[in-house]
Amino acid sequence: MKESKLDVNCLKKKSEDAVMIYKWDILAKGLDVIFCGLNPASSAVESGHNFSNPRNRFWSVLYLAGFTDICIRPHDEHRLLEYRCGVTAVVSRATKRADEISTTEFRQVRPEFEVKMRYYMPRVIAFLGKRGLAGMISKPDIRWGILPIQFAGTTAWVLPNPSGLNRGFPLKTLVAAYAELRKALGGSSVVL
């Protein structure tokens, strides 16, 4: 875990060449980890980039936990692939709040989502929050961390959601949870 101070507001800077066509998947075959959000935020669709809301701590947490050696900005999100990381969402429908997705919708998308994960076959699927996975497998009592069962033929890990709305997890706690996964994957960042 990095001990240096970080401007956690690094996401407030706007890119003048932001792409306005939003594609939430940043994927390649054989990644170390695919971070899996519940669904795209309407702010991400507006900006054209994942985790672009300045209150979202995803990019800062990845840096502080050692997944990247710089704080990637949303407009550079494809650089995640250089670190053998990817991003996707369980549900493709954008909403203002994640609680607008029902348990039924999570169950309905499971087959298609599993096919996608089996195709890309990461070492770990890291679910950001419990709701998506709990809804897909119909098991409400999921614990944080590594799951005792596989999902889509690979290791599944449950991390706290880095959303700014998730006030139950301060930055330090988020970084510790993500750093635990980073350590399990083998330590420091690997640049291709």
Side-chain angles (χ1 to χ4, degrees):
M1 194 173 354
K2 294 190 178 14
E3 296 296 327
S4 64
K5 291 188 178 191
L6 171 71
D7 174 12
V8 291
N9 296 317
C10 67
L11 305 179
K12 289 185 179 178
K13 298 173 184 169
K14 302 279 183 184
S15 167
E16 293 180 13
D17 55 358
V19 177
M20 295 314 292
I21 299 171
Y22 178 63
K23 183 168 179 355
W24 63 88
D25 280 347
I26 299 172
L27 299 173
K29 287 187 177 184
L31 296 173
D32 286 338
V33 60
I34 292 177
F35 295 100
C36 181
L38 298 175
N39 72 307
S42 56
S43 59
V45 174
E46 277 180 34
S47 73
H49 303 288
N50 291 297
F51 306 105
S52 57
N53 185 314
R55 291 183 306 266
N56 195 297
R57 301 166 290 175
F58 180 75
W59 302 109
S60 298
V61 169
L62 288 190
Y63 168 69
L64 292 170
F67 282 96
T68 63
D69 59 0
I70 60 167
C71 183
I72 295 175
R73 300 212 189 311
H75 63 272
D76 289 327
E77 62 193 355
H78 280 81
R79 292 204 56 205
L80 268 181
L81 297 174
E82 297 172 22
Y83 298 96
R84 302 187 51 80
C85 298
V87 171
T88 194
V90 175
V91 173
S92 61
R93 183 171 66 86
T95 60
K96 285 190 179 204
R97 295 179 53 100
D99 61 7
E100 295 175 44
I101 305 293
S102 70
T103 302
T104 301
E105 192 169 357
F106 286 123
R107 263 189 242 113
Q108 290 171 341
V109 300
R110 179 180 179 172
E112 182 180 337
F113 182 75
E114 280 195 69
V115 166
K116 179 166 51 172
M117 290 300 98
R118 287 181 189 281
Y119 176 79
Y120 287 104
M121 197 51 70
R123 287 177 55 201
V124 172
I125 301 168
F127 291 92
L128 306 182
K130 296 179 179 182
R131 280 191 66 239
L133 180 61
M136 285 191 289
I137 66 173
S138 300
K139 186 175 179 187
D141 59 341
I142 293 174
R143 295 183 0 185
W144 299 111
I146 191 169
L147 290 185
I149 58 168
Q150 290 192 332
F151 182 88
T154 194
T155 301
W157 201 286
V158 182
L159 295 169
N161 193 312
S163 168
L165 297 174
N166 189 1
R167 293 185 183 102
F169 289 91
L171 183 63
K172 182 178 179 179
T173 305
L174 287 172
V175 171
Y178 284 61
E180 182 181 350
L181 170 57
R182 183 71 207 144
K183 184 178 177 185
L185 285 168
S188 63
S189 300
V190 177
V191 180
L192 297 176

